[in-house]
């Protein structure tokens, strides 16, 4: 569900919701390993949008596993306690460097014709950028792929409102 306002988002809860939605896809293909820091602070965010990011990455991870594999989800903090890092890694087919460089391009897909629009990762990139964060991908053909998301715990609301005002929306103010 799309949330129209910034709220304090419980990232482990959002990831669990995503895993529940994808349960039937995951259960026969992958074992999910969660490695979280002891205390995961809440993040100021649009929770529904972050769910969409997690959904796209985890769904792609499941799709990259040919028979049976593993998916690791890690949550860490930076040393200054200002940013949360979410890593989602699989041991699927992986990608070469050229494919990795195209991952966030609109309409780029590695899926067969008719099975993907090529918009999922482009949208994920846009969402993370709108949350003043970063998303990176690293992969090696035949070994798997890892997405790393860096999110600030607190958003600069002036920046968000300026961006939304330019798009015709104002969230608070």
């Amino acid at each position: 569900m799309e949330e129209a306002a910034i709220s304090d988002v419980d990232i482990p809860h959002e990831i669990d919701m995503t895993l529940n939605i994808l349960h039937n896809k995951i259960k026969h293909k992958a074992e999910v390993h969660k490695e979280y820091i002891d205390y995961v602070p809440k993040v100021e965010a649009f929770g529904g949008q972050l769910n969409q990011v997690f959904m796209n990455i985890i769904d792609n991870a499941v799709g990259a596993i040919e028979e049976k594999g593993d998916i690791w989800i890690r949550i860490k903090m930076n040393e200054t306690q200002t940013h949360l890092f979410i890593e989602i890694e699989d041991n699927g087919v992986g990608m070469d460097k050229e494919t990795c460089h195209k991952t966030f391009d609109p309409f780029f897909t590695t899926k067969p014709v008719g099975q993907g629009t090529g918009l999922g990762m482009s949208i994920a990139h846009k969402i993370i950028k709108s949350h003043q964060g970063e998303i990176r991908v690293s992969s090696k053909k035949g070994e798997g792929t890892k997405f790393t998301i860096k999110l600030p715990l607190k958003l600069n609301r002036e920046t968000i409102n300026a961006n939304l005002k330019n798009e015709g929306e104002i969230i608070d103010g």
Side-chain angles (χ1 to χ4, degrees):
M1 290 184 352
E2 191 61 43
E3 294 176 20
I6 296 168
S7 62
D8 289 333
V9 175
D10 180 343
I11 297 295
H13 175 74
E14 299 301 322
I15 290 171
D16 285 344
M17 283 183 17
T18 302
L19 291 171
N20 283 337
I21 291 167
L22 292 172
H23 176 74
N24 285 335
K25 256 187 172 177
I26 295 171
K27 69 181 178 183
H28 298 295
K29 289 196 76 174
E31 185 172 338
V32 177
H33 311 274
K34 296 187 275 188
E35 302 169 10
Y36 301 167
I37 55 176
D38 289 335
Y39 169 72
V40 179
K42 292 187 176 181
V43 173
E44 282 187 347
F46 298 97
Q49 290 182 7
L50 291 183
N51 268 336
Q52 188 173 359
V53 172
F54 302 144
M55 182 77 67
N56 285 327
I57 294 173
I58 295 169
D59 187 50
N60 285 346
V62 173
I65 295 169
E66 291 182 323
E67 290 187 26
K68 190 87 172 132
D70 296 282
I71 297 171
W72 295 268
I73 302 172
R74 299 178 193 94
I75 300 177
K76 306 173 183 182
M77 288 277 295
N78 68 336
E79 294 165 5
T80 59
Q81 306 279 308
T82 57
H83 289 81
L84 205 62
F85 289 84
I86 301 126
E87 296 176 349
I88 301 171
E89 182 175 5
D90 66 69
N91 61 356
V93 296
M95 300 179 283
D96 58 33
K97 279 187 178 185
E98 185 179 320
T99 304
C100 253
H101 289 299
K102 296 177 184 176
T103 300
F104 302 113
D105 292 353
F107 305 108
F108 176 76
T109 182
T110 58
K111 295 177 181 174
V113 174
Q115 289 188 18
T117 62
L119 291 173
M121 295 315 303
S122 173
I123 291 169
H125 184 265
K126 183 178 179 182
I127 290 169
I128 296 302
K129 289 301 238 183
S130 76
H131 281 81
Q132 301 159 5
E134 298 172 11
I135 183 169
R136 300 187 190 284
V137 61
S138 60
S139 187
K140 193 166 186 183
K141 195 91 171 134
E143 293 183 18
T145 300
K146 177 167 71 172
F147 284 89
T148 303
I149 300 166
K150 177 183 176 184
L151 290 172
L153 297 182
K154 299 287 181 199
L155 294 172
N156 179 333
R157 290 179 185 236
E158 288 178 19
T159 302
I160 288 177
N161 282 332
N163 290 341
L164 292 172
K165 189 174 184 179
N166 290 338
E167 294 176 16
E169 300 177 47
I170 297 178
I171 294 302
D172 42 40

